[in-house]
Structure formats: structure tokens, C-alpha cells
Amino acid sequence: MSDQSTHDKFERVLSRRDIFVLAVGAMVGWGWIIQSGYWINEGGVDGSILAFVLGGLMVSVVGLIYGELASAMPYVGGEHIYSLRALGSFGSFVCTWALVLGYVGVVVFEVVAFPSALAYIVPGFNAIQLWTVAGEPVYATWVLVGGVGAIVMTFLNYRGVRPAAQFQTLLTVVIGLAGITLIIGAVTNGTSPSSPPLGGVGVAGVFTVAIMTPFMFVGFDVIPQAAGEADVSPRTLGILIPIAVGVAALFYIAVIWASGQSMAASQLVESSLPAAAAMESLFDSLLIGRIMALAGIAGILTSWNSFLLGASRAVYALAESGMLPESLSEIHPEHNTPKNALLLIGGLSVFSPLFGEQMLIWIVNASGLGLVLAWFLVVISFFVLRRREPNMNRPLKLPYGRAFGALALILTMFFVGLYLPGAPSALTWPFEWGIIVFWTLFGACMYVFSGDSASQTKSSAKEPNR
């Protein structure tokens, strides 16, 4: 199978605006509404901003690397295509499977966050407690609403990428207006509550926030995942990636600063929706706080939408290359979408509300490791292809490519280290490392099974010629 053959199976229907909005909407989804109080409580306003500057720097540099690779290989699958060409089958599988963990993590995060947002808006929403997970109650209403939401979002993507992109544009505008309103409120009514430097916890607090930033910035790489469906030039495709990252970074930093002007960190962290509480405080209006919560729901839906698209395309690319069961590479004859890959991701997400709200933190941290590992392997692929294929057509070729690559390598290695045992922000056992272990074993079984099936298929195909 060639890269081009994979790409030709999809229609080029996404405009430059569609691509940009898919990426920005994915990055500035729901996290800033629900996590801003946690960030400020852990690292203070200044420490949280520093963490996002650090995370934004890493993602911006990696985004430039992606820009060159996406312009050279504008095919569905993104990272899978780059790493397959540079690192071979096994290296590509590790890279793409780690990326899928990050994408599925976002989808699961949004399924759980959706009823969380409704609970803030709808009085008495938390009804019929079923059980507790890590001390957090799980309600039947959460399970029902999250499950139905997962089915609806999967159906929307199943029907085609163009309707999903139009849906994304509308909701991203809503998110942008809500963020701007919060910032205006902070400028006009902010009180700058005093807080110790770095939240009083020093560098450890900064790193605690920093390991969450990859999960918050993930979304720019939806652009290369959908590259084969983009009706833009390869160079434009590459340029859109770092621009989208820059916009998202500025948005996060502005929201952290604005939220910090509303009330003390100890008050923000107690709210289920800190950004909505900040808006309510700044404008002294319960109604405006509820409107911010509605914007949060828009953010949930944009990320949910983008990562269903991205995860399904990554799974499709793995299956098309024979690394996952062949059925996952089937394209819907009418809607032109990877139907079985979408149904797999959507089906997994339906069950996530069963684990309750505490699952949000576990998913953010475990998925973050998968994302940074995937980005690290993309940077390695960049170096390999620069050396092995210096004459490859690169419509967006980075000047000082080795320097950019070296910086990206250092930053991604540093972030991988933040998750490992011994680091002040290391993943916890058993929940976060349990997710990593489960995903690794699940992927290994799928890879071995698919390899055996592919070998049997080849043998059967040769049999009549003997």
C-alpha cells in the first residue's frame, strides 16, 4: 500500500477555515473550564502561566516539525505515515498507538465532562447514586447522559466529515466569545487576590501543571490526521499547525490570568466549574456564570468532535497498514468515513461514565504520556527523513532544521521524564499506570493478532500458484 492510495480513498472537502477551526476547537475545548482552579491552586497564577509557556513552547516547536512533515506527506494518518516511512512497522505502531491513547483519552474525558457541566447548570441533575470510584459518586443520570452523548457524537462523525466540521465552526465561535468575555471581566472588575509565588509549592507545583499541558494542547495534530481530506495546498497545511498552537497557547494563558483575578485559588478549586465561578464573581451575576457553563459544553463538544475524527483516522491508518484488524480500515460507501474505526472509539467511550468524575484526572495524566511519547517519535522520524531522504519534496521546509529538531527532541524527552517514577509529577499507581499498562497490553495483542492474520492472508493468496 502506498501513502497515496490511502489518501485517495477520502474526499478533499475541508477548507482552510475548517482545518484551522478543527484544531483550535480541539485544543481549547473543555479543560480550561473545569481545570483552571486546579492549575491555579497547584501552581499559582504565575506558576500556571509558566507551565503553559513551557508546554506551549514544546508544542510550538513540535508543531513546526509537524508542519514540515505534513506538507511533505499530506495523507490521512499523519504521524503513522511519517513514522512508518522513517522507523518501519514496529516503530510506527508504537508511535500511533501512543497517539491513539491520547486521542481516546480526550474522547473519554469529554464523555465524563459532559454530565459534569450539566450538573452545574441543571439543579438536581445528580440523581440515583450507583456506586463510588476513588471516593467520587457515580450517578445514573451521568451514565445515561454521557452514554447518549457518546452515541450522538459518534453518529455525527459517522455521517461525514463535512457536517462535523460545520458543527465545529459554530461551537468554536461560542468558546472564543466566552473566553473574551472572561478576560474583559478580569480587566474591568478583577481584584487580583493575593497568592504566594508559584502557589507556595515551588517548582513541583509548576511541573504538576506542566504534565497536564500536553493533554490541553493536543488537537493541532488533528490537522495531519485529516490531511487527506483537506482542500488546501501542502504548504498552507503545514503553516496552519504552528498558528493554531500559538492561538491556543495565548487563549490558555489569558484564561488563567483572568480566572486568577476573580477569587483566591482555594475558592476556585472548590468549584466544579472554576471558569464559570470566576465569570460569576467578576460580573456578580449567576446568569453570566451559567452562560459560561454553556460555553463549556460547547468546548466539550468541539474536542469530542475533533478527537473522534482524529482517533478514527489514526486507527484506520494502522488497520490499512495491516497493524490492526483489517475490518477497521473499511470506508462507508456513502458517507466516506472509516465506519468501523469510528464505531470502535465511540463504543469504548460509551462506558466511561461508569467510572465517575475522578477518572478525569487519571485520563488527563495517562493520556499525556502517550501524546508526548508519540511526539518524541515524530521528532525522531523528522531527523531520520532529513538524513535518509534529503531530496524529498518539502513545500514547507524549516530553516535550521537540525536546530529545531534538537530543541524539539530535548523538550519532548524532558516532558516524558516528568511522567516517570522519581519525578515530582510522576504518574500514580494503580490508576494512571494501570491505564498505561492496559493500553500497552491491548495494543500488543492487537498487533500480534493482526500480524498473524496478515501472514495467513498472504499465504492463502499464494496457495493457488504453487
Side-chain angles (χ1 to χ4, degrees):
M1 182 207 69
S2 69
D3 295 342
Q4 188 67 37
S5 67
T6 301
H7 153 68
D8 285 341
K9 293 185 179 181
F10 293 88
E11 296 179 18
R12 285 187 173 273
V13 296
L14 298 177
S15 68
R16 178 170 51 190
R17 184 193 67 185
D18 293 333
I19 290 290
F20 179 75
V21 169
L22 277 171
V24 174
M27 284 187 280
V28 295
W30 168 250
W32 62 282
I33 298 280
I34 196 171
Q35 297 287 352
S36 55
Y38 177 79
W39 300 334
I40 293 171
N41 189 59
E42 291 294 320
V45 173
D46 48 357
S48 297
I49 290 175
L50 177 60
F52 270 84
V53 168
L54 183 61
L57 174 63
M58 177 194 68
V59 177
S60 296
V61 175
V62 172
L64 289 169
I65 301 291
Y66 267 82
E68 176 174 306
L69 294 171
S71 72
M73 293 167 278
Y75 311 128
V76 165
E79 294 88 340
H80 174 68
I81 300 298
Y82 319 148
S83 56
L84 182 61
R85 191 157 176 167
L87 306 177
S89 296
F90 181 73
S92 181
F93 181 81
V94 173
C95 176
T96 313
W97 193 244
L99 186 77
V100 174
L101 170 61
Y103 285 4
V104 171
V106 177
V107 174
V108 169
F109 180 94
E110 308 308 349
V111 176
V112 178
F114 184 47
S116 176
L118 290 179
Y120 187 88
I121 298 171
V122 181
F125 179 81
N126 295 339
I128 313 176
Q129 181 174 329
L130 301 176
W131 49 74
T132 61
V133 176
E136 293 290 334
V138 178
Y139 297 100
T141 47
W142 281 54
V143 174
L144 177 63
V145 170
V148 171
I151 293 169
V152 171
M153 291 299 294
T154 302
F155 176 75
L156 176 66
N157 275 266
Y158 190 88
R159 295 283 297 176
V161 69
R162 182 62 182 164
Q166 292 170 336
F167 177 71
Q168 186 87 346
T169 299
L170 174 63
L171 295 179
T172 301
V173 170
V174 173
I175 296 169
L177 291 175
I180 291 170
T181 304
L182 177 62
I183 294 164
I184 291 173
V187 171
T188 58
N189 302 320
T191 57
S192 299
S194 60
S195 62
L198 307 185
V201 294
V203 175
V206 177
F207 286 165
T208 299
V209 178
I211 66 165
M212 303 184 81
T213 60
F215 189 88
M216 298 301 148
F217 279 113
V218 64
F220 74 89
D221 36 6
V222 169
I223 294 179
Q225 289 298 334
E229 297 161 274
D231 189 19
V232 299
S233 70
R235 179 177 173 82
T236 299
L237 191 74
I239 291 172
L240 285 173
I241 295 174
I243 292 176
V245 171
V247 169
L250 290 174
F251 184 87
Y252 275 123
I253 289 169
V255 164
I256 290 169
W257 174 82
S259 297
Q261 306 310 302
S262 65
M263 59 181 72
S266 58
Q267 294 174 288
L268 282 172
V269 78
E270 289 299 319
S271 172
S272 59
L273 296 184
M279 184 83 92
E280 181 180 331
S281 174
L282 289 169
F283 288 94
D284 192 24
S285 169
L286 178 62
L287 175 61
I288 292 181
R290 295 289 172 85
I291 292 173
M292 173 60 92
L294 290 174
I297 291 178
I300 291 171
L301 297 178
T302 57
S303 289
W304 202 340
N305 185 48
S306 293
F307 288 102
L308 269 174
L309 186 152
S312 62
R313 271 57 176 181
V315 168
Y316 162 84
L318 284 171
E320 183 73 4
S321 298
M323 300 180 193
L324 289 179
E326 185 180 0
S327 61
L328 293 173
S329 66
E330 291 183 16
I331 302 296
H332 194 285
E334 180 183 353
H335 305 310
N336 210 49
T337 53
K339 58 176 185 176
N340 291 338
L342 273 168
L343 292 175
L344 173 64
I345 304 301
L348 286 173
S349 68
V350 166
F351 299 100
S352 55
L354 297 171
F355 296 93
E357 192 172 18
Q358 179 59 37
M359 190 178 188
L360 294 176
I361 299 297
W362 303 337
I363 286 293
V364 168
N365 291 338
S367 299
L369 175 57
L371 293 168
V372 177
L373 178 60
W375 296 343
F376 171 75
L377 292 173
V378 168
V379 175
I380 296 294
S381 300
F382 170 83
F383 273 114
V384 171
L385 292 174
R386 273 289 187 106
R387 186 190 74 250
R388 185 188 297 164
E389 301 186 47
N391 297 322
M392 176 190 289
N393 180 34
R394 295 173 170 88
L396 181 65
K397 186 172 183 177
L398 291 178
Y400 310 108
R402 288 182 179 274
F404 273 112
L407 180 58
L409 195 65
I410 292 169
L411 288 170
T412 51
M413 287 178 65
F414 171 73
F415 265 81
V416 168
L418 292 180
Y419 295 87
L420 300 181
S425 50
L427 298 184
T428 60
W429 177 265
F431 299 109
E432 292 170 357
W433 278 115
I435 292 171
I436 298 294
V437 171
F438 166 78
W439 193 253
T440 302
L441 294 176
F442 181 42
C445 292
M446 295 278 276
Y447 183 78
V448 171
F449 172 78
S450 300
D452 291 343
S453 298
S455 298
Q456 292 171 7
T457 300
K458 290 178 181 178
S459 298
S460 299
K462 292 178 182 179
E463 188 67 34
N465 297 325
R466 290 181 180 176

